[in-house]
Every structure is written in structure tokens, then in C-alpha cells.
């Protein structure tokens, strides 16, 4: 482009265009880098939030000479309640999670354990029965993988998102936005190990499945099948 010294308007227009273009490019870059705010809502931290679960556990006992004829089924309910907050040893905000147990709706809740949890800009952790698990990783993406046992001494388990920000029904309850984390999926001649957790926006964990089964000649002979599904949650 040739600029006429007596006609500065082409240069003026170019400067104005560049001035408009730069903020646009910066905003696009920032939008791409920042995690969606909804991502953190999958792991609530507010005091008073609770989820009631229906729990089913099937135990394949090891005292039956590997015949798998000693199988025991259990059904009960668990409530997880965010009770209070504190600052942990690393200076991060953390929450106390109280867990209650009862057999049926008509039974009183009994406090059985106290866990803690921590949410940061890059991760969500839970301290469950003296073991820390890396539950979620941010930003949420189909390319995100992480070791769920990176804060404990257990063997590595690479977690990944199966889906996210999708509607889903769990135990007859509908949720507008959920995500699914596949923790492990091994099925072979000697074992069946499967782990999955589902979280809902504004609610937190709504489903957990963990199967640790041993096989003999390809047939299950020992181990545990465990499932907990949301029954109620609040506050609403």
C-alpha cells in the first residue's frame, strides 16, 4: 500500500484496524487457556452440601475352595456431608467430609468416618481412609490423563475422562451436566478390575463402581463388586 503524505486516512484506518484486532486475539487466547467455570462445580466445596447414596456390595468369599458358592450381598445407605473448612499443611483451603451409614430409611444415621478433600485450579483430591486419591484433573479434556494414585503408595492407575458436560440419568434421577472418569478397566483370564466415577455439576459424586475380582480358569472365584448411586442430594 502506498501512503500519500497529503492524505493520512489509509494509515489512520490501518492503525484503527490493528487496535481492534489485538484485543480480539488476546481475548481468544485467554478464552482458550482458562478452564470453564463449570468444571470446578463438579467438585462442590460449600459447607452443608450432601449426597445420599444407595450402596450395593457383593462379596465372593475365599473360603469355598474357589467354587464361588459363598457369595454375600449387602445393601445399605451412605451420606457424605461437607461439614467445615480448614487450611491444610500446604496452605490450601480444604473441607471436612463426614460420612454416615444406615441400613434403611427408617434407621438413624451413624457417623462412621471422617474424610477430607481439596480443590485446586489443577486438581481435586480426596483423603479417604488415610489414602489420598487424585479424583479430577483440570482443565477437563478428552486428552487429559493422570495417575489417580500420584499422592499415595499404591500402583499407578491412569484415569481419563470418558465424557463430560453431558446430560445423564443415574438411579432414576436426571442431571443436566455430568462427567465420567474411567479409573481402570482390566478384564482377562485371571482378574476383572473395573473402576468408574460419575460427577454432576453442582452435586459432586453421584455414582461409583469398583470391582476387584479374581478368576480361576476365567471364572470369578473371589473379590468384591461395589456400586454406590445417588438417592438424594442437597441443599437445593
Amino acid at each position: 500500500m502506498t501512503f500519500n503524505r497529503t492524505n493520512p486516512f489509509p494509515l489512520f484506518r490501518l492503525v484503527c484496524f490493528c487496535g481492534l484486532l489485538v484485543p480480539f486475539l488476546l481475548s481468544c487466547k485467554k478464552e482458550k487457556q482458562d478452564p470453564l467455570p463449570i468444571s470446578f462445580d463438579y467438585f462442590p466445596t460449600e459447607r452443608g452440601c450432601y449426597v445420599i447414596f444407595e450402596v450395593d456390595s457383593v462379596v465372593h468369599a475365599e473360603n469355598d475352595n474357589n467354587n464361588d458358592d459363598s457369595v454375600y450381598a449387602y445393601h445399605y445407605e451412605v451420606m457424605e456431608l461437607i461439614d467445615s473448612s480448614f487450611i491444610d499443611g500446604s496452605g490450601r483451603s480444604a473441607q471436612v467430609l463426614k460420612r454416615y451409614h444406615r441400613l434403611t430409611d427408617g434407621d438413624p444415621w451413624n457417623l462412621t468416618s471422617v474424610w477430607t478433600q481439596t480443590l485446586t485450579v489443577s486438581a481435586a483430591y480426596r483423603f479417604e481412609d488415610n489414602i489420598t486419591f487424585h479424583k479430577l484433573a483440570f482443565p477437563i479434556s478428552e486428552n487429559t490423563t493422570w495417575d489417580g494414585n500420584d499422592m499415595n503408595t499404591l500402583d499407578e492407575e491412569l484415569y481419563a475422562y470418558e465424557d463430560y458436560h453431558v446430560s445423564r440419568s443415574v438411579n432414576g434421577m436426571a442431571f443436566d451436566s455430568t462427567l465420567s472418569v474411567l479409573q481402570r478397566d482390566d478384564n482377562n483370564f485371571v482378574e476383572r478390575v473395573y473402576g468408574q466415577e460419575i460427577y454432576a455439576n453442582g452435586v459432586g459424586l453421584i455414582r461409583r463402581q469398583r470391582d476387584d475380582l479374581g478368576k480361576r480358569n476365567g471364572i470369578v472365584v473371589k473379590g468384591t463388586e461395589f456400586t454406590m448411586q445417588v438417592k438424594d442430594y442437597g441443599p437445593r
Side-chain angles (χ1 to χ4, degrees):
M1 179 183 294
T2 301
F3 298 106
N4 188 336
R5 293 179 180 273
T6 62
N7 185 9
F9 289 106
L11 177 61
F12 176 76
R13 291 170 181 168
L14 179 61
V15 171
C16 291
F17 174 76
C18 292
L20 294 173
L21 181 61
V22 170
F24 173 77
L25 293 175
L26 290 176
S27 65
C28 290
K29 183 177 181 182
K30 180 178 180 182
E31 181 179 355
K32 183 177 181 180
Q33 290 179 340
D34 290 346
L36 292 173
I38 189 178
S39 299
F40 303 109
D41 292 337
Y42 287 113
F43 198 84
T45 58
E46 294 79 14
R47 181 179 182 182
C49 290
Y50 69 88
V51 183
I52 297 176
F53 298 95
E54 291 184 332
V55 180
D56 289 286
S57 178
V58 177
V59 178
H60 301 257
E62 299 184 45
N63 58 353
D64 54 8
N65 296 318
N66 288 332
N67 293 320
D68 200 35
D69 55 8
S70 296
V71 180
Y72 306 93
Y74 303 92
H75 179 83
Y76 52 94
E77 295 184 357
V78 166
M79 177 170 61
E80 297 184 348
L81 168 69
I82 299 179
D83 179 74
S84 57
S85 299
F86 66 99
I87 302 300
D88 67 11
S90 300
R92 304 173 302 185
S93 177
Q95 295 80 44
V96 174
L97 188 72
K98 290 187 175 181
R99 303 185 79 246
Y100 299 83
H101 173 280
R102 69 183 180 186
L103 292 178
T104 67
D105 285 340
D107 296 325
W109 289 109
N110 294 309
L111 179 65
T112 55
S113 58
V114 178
W115 293 354
T116 60
Q117 64 175 34
T118 303
L119 176 66
T120 72
V121 295
S122 61
Y125 291 96
R126 270 198 176 185
F127 188 64
E128 304 177 353
D129 295 330
N130 298 319
I131 302 176
T132 301
F133 294 99
H134 187 168
K135 295 294 188 177
L136 302 176
F138 305 108
I140 295 173
S141 165
E142 68 273 12
N143 298 319
T144 300
T145 61
W146 67 99
D147 179 13
N149 293 327
D150 58 10
M151 294 294 288
N152 61 53
T153 59
L154 299 175
D155 293 337
E156 179 184 73
E157 287 193 358
L158 289 180
Y159 293 5
Y161 292 111
E162 294 182 294
D163 55 47
Y164 49 90
H165 309 329
V166 298
S167 60
R168 194 190 315 262
S169 179
V170 174
N171 202 23
M173 302 181 68
F175 299 91
D176 291 336
S177 185
T178 70
L179 61 79
S180 174
V181 178
L182 181 63
Q183 299 174 331
R184 188 168 173 180
D185 189 6
D186 296 324
N187 190 13
N188 51 54
F189 200 66
V190 297
E191 68 176 357
R192 165 60 172 159
V193 182
Y194 180 82
Q196 181 201 53
E197 290 187 344
I198 298 175
Y199 294 77
N201 175 40
V203 181
L205 180 69
I206 57 173
R207 190 180 192 278
R208 172 184 292 170
Q209 181 177 347
R210 183 73 187 196
D211 299 336
D212 287 282
L213 301 170
K215 297 181 180 180
R216 182 185 182 188
N217 298 325
I219 305 300
V220 172
V221 294
K222 62 180 180 179
T224 302
E225 302 170 71
F226 180 87
T227 303
M228 51 189 290
Q229 300 188 100
V230 62
K231 178 183 178 181
D232 194 9
Y233 63 92
R236 302 191 186 189

